[in-house]
Amino acid sequence: RLRFNEFIENWERYEAEEIFQNITDKNHPDDIVLTIQQGKGTLPRELSGRNILYDNTNTKNYKRVKFGDFIIHLRSFEGGLEIANEQGIVSPAYTILRHKKNIAFGFYKAYFRTNEFINHVLSKSVEGIRDGKQISYDAFKWLSIPYCKLEEQQKIADFLSLVDQRIEKQRQLVESLKKYKRGLLSAIFDRKLRFKDENGNDYPEWENKKISDIFKLTRGYVLATSEISELQTSEFKYPVYSSQTKNEGLLGYYNKYLYKNAITWTTDGANAGYVKFRNGEFYCTNVCGVLLCNKGNCNSYIAEKLNSVTKRHVSYVGNPKLMNNVMAEIYIDFPSIQEQKRNSKLLTKIDEKIKTSNFLYDRLILLKQGLLQQMFI
């Protein structure tokens, strides 16, 4: 549907075995051992960040891959085929594909990760596939694979490479902003960075206070099944939050609210203790503990300060928990309300920048997905 203007010839289709051959090249125990990182291809196993155990004496049975080889791995039915980024050896459970016809590697790297290939070609050719089941070459070799002139393949590959570079730059920007925020928070919490008031004077010294002395602690409410079915994204006004995850925890919208400008935290589950300031009117479920106050202490700064200490108060006996009675006894250093507002205003601006940058990153990912669909169908 989407092509460069200079190419008008129809694409051909070949059976996969006409373009790729199955390679089983073993007995190279001295080669570097590689692992698969889904969506990124191969990398040396020691750089994977995962504690993967394997028998060094068995590497002679591993298969050698060369740069540009494609790999059918245990998650290919979910994320497509991966490409070898360097020469090395991989698990014998993998199937190694090496090109027989001239190809542009980037062209097939993109195609083998498209929804079209994964869900409409591969899934139909392999019956009864389950999580973790290997895809055999005998099943793969009959698949119908597109092929076009090498020049068009290369132009598509070069274009998608530029798109990937733009996406990576945006990802790095988001990570840099998050890192900057972490450094800023650390400096503020350690009192290495303090601002002056509007008259150029120092703010008052911080006071160490117990949470229950500042806030009223309460919980969210259980939504009935009928109420859950009413959650909408258009008709209703008030967001409904569940703090079970570290994202916004947005479940939908409801026609009433419980709280306004309050701090919530996850009381139990994998993210127990994660704290979030909720600006405006909102509804929250019973997995949320809620801090209410009328003295101005509910702001993003106090939420971030709590986030820096709550994890060490979580109980890991059974299901992780940070219940109201434990939260109530936590002590933190409270700046004056004026200094809190000054810090909160700064953090809010940074959060807005991170949110905007992350939104653009997500949009670029969607743009690439749309391009892939248009270029390969």
Side-chain angles (χ1 to χ4, degrees):
R1 296 174 183 170
L2 185 64
R3 298 184 73 180
F4 293 101
N5 291 334
E6 62 267 37
F7 301 105
I8 59 174
E9 297 89 348
N10 290 331
W11 287 16
E12 299 176 88
R13 298 195 75 88
Y14 290 92
E15 291 177 353
E17 67 174 348
E18 297 180 86
I19 305 177
F20 298 97
Q21 57 183 322
N22 183 10
I23 299 294
T24 303
D25 183 8
K26 297 184 177 181
N27 201 26
H28 301 283
D30 296 327
D31 280 13
I32 186 170
V33 178
L34 304 174
T35 189
I36 297 293
Q37 196 168 54
Q38 192 164 325
K40 297 183 179 179
T42 60
L43 76 164
R45 184 167 281 181
E46 63 269 19
L47 299 180
S48 67
R50 295 177 288 175
N51 186 22
I52 302 173
L53 300 178
Y54 67 98
D55 185 357
N56 284 317
T57 63
N58 198 37
T59 53
K60 65 180 181 180
N61 291 320
Y62 278 41
K63 297 179 181 179
R64 171 180 274 179
V65 295
K66 295 183 179 181
F67 173 79
D69 286 347
F70 288 95
I71 303 169
I72 302 175
H73 58 98
L74 299 179
R75 307 295 301 184
S76 285
F77 70 93
E78 178 183 73
L81 276 57
E82 295 298 335
I83 191 170
N85 297 316
E86 62 266 277
Q87 180 171 302
I89 54 176
V90 298
S91 168
Y94 299 155
T95 299
I96 313 304
L97 304 173
R98 190 165 296 160
H99 65 97
K100 295 163 65 176
K101 295 176 70 69
N102 289 330
I103 64 168
F105 299 124
F107 177 86
Y108 285 100
K109 176 183 176 182
Y111 173 71
F112 286 144
R113 294 176 184 166
T114 61
N115 177 69
E116 169 68 16
F117 173 74
I118 297 170
N119 295 320
H120 300 286
V121 178
L122 187 60
S123 63
K124 292 180 180 179
S125 301
V126 184
E127 296 293 334
I129 188 166
R130 296 194 304 270
D131 187 21
K133 183 179 178 181
Q134 176 66 293
I135 302 171
S136 70
Y137 181 73
D138 286 338
F140 177 85
K141 67 182 181 180
W142 303 111
L143 299 182
S144 177
I145 302 295
Y147 187 87
C148 59
K149 290 179 61 176
L150 186 61
E151 294 80 5
E152 185 173 8
Q153 288 186 35
Q154 191 61 58
K155 188 151 188 176
I156 291 173
D158 291 344
F159 172 70
L160 293 175
S161 176
L162 291 175
V163 174
D164 284 338
Q165 291 175 35
R166 177 65 185 88
I167 291 173
E168 177 59 19
K169 285 184 179 180
Q170 191 64 29
R171 186 196 67 80
Q172 291 176 3
L173 174 61
V174 172
E175 291 304 312
S176 295
L177 287 168
K178 290 179 179 178
K179 182 178 179 181
Y180 173 73
K181 179 185 175 181
R182 291 194 296 268
L184 186 65
L185 286 172
S186 179
I188 292 175
F189 295 158
D190 293 340
R191 307 188 204 186
K192 295 178 181 178
L193 176 63
R194 295 191 69 184
F195 300 100
K196 305 288 186 180
D197 65 19
E198 57 186 12
N199 297 316
N201 300 319
D202 291 334
Y203 287 109
E205 287 303 309
W206 297 9
E207 297 181 68
N208 191 254
K209 296 181 180 181
K210 189 165 61 171
I211 293 299
S212 60
D213 292 336
I214 301 295
F215 300 99
K216 176 183 176 182
L217 289 83
T218 184
R219 293 283 294 272
Y221 286 79
V222 178
L223 280 170
T225 303
S226 60
E227 293 173 318
I228 293 175
S229 66
E230 291 179 2
L231 295 183
Q232 309 231 352
T233 58
S234 57
E235 295 182 17
F236 299 143
K237 176 180 180 181
Y238 304 110
V240 178
Y241 294 113
S242 169
S243 293
Q244 293 182 29
T245 59
K246 288 190 175 184
N247 57 23
E248 288 297 317
L250 182 64
L251 296 180
Y253 292 82
Y254 200 37
N255 59 358
K256 61 182 178 181
Y257 71 92
L258 292 173
Y259 307 111
K260 181 178 181 180
N261 299 336
I263 292 173
T264 67
W265 81 93
T266 309
T267 57
D268 58 293
N271 292 306
Y274 180 74
V275 183
K276 184 78 176 179
F277 172 63
R278 305 295 186 184
N279 190 27
E281 300 159 333
F282 66 95
Y283 192 107
C284 62
T285 68
N286 65 320
V287 296
C288 298
V290 184
L291 301 181
L292 304 173
C293 74
N294 55 12
K295 299 179 181 179
N297 288 290
C298 285
N299 53 62
S300 58
Y301 170 77
I302 295 299
E304 293 287 1
K305 178 63 178 175
L306 276 169
N307 249 334
S308 71
V309 301
T310 50
K311 274 298 180 183
R312 56 178 175 262
H313 295 276
V314 173
S315 170
Y316 290 96
V317 179
N319 191 37
K321 286 181 172 58
L322 180 60
M323 308 311 290
N324 287 42
N325 63 321
V326 178
M327 176 67 89
E329 297 298 314
I330 295 176
Y331 281 83
I332 64 171
D333 293 325
F334 281 85
S336 67
I337 297 297
Q338 292 75 23
E339 188 172 2
Q340 285 184 42
K341 290 181 178 179
R342 174 68 177 78
N343 292 338
S344 182
K345 184 178 180 180
L346 174 62
L347 294 175
T348 297
K349 288 183 178 179
I350 296 173
D351 284 339
E352 289 174 351
K353 180 64 176 175
I354 292 173
K355 185 176 181 179
T356 300
S357 298
N358 202 59
F359 174 78
L360 180 54
Y361 173 73
D362 290 340
R363 297 300 295 178
L364 287 169
I365 295 291
L366 288 174
L367 171 64
K368 181 185 176 182
Q369 292 173 353
L371 287 170
L372 290 175
Q373 290 300 106
Q374 293 292 316
M375 298 176 86
F376 286 104
I377 295 179

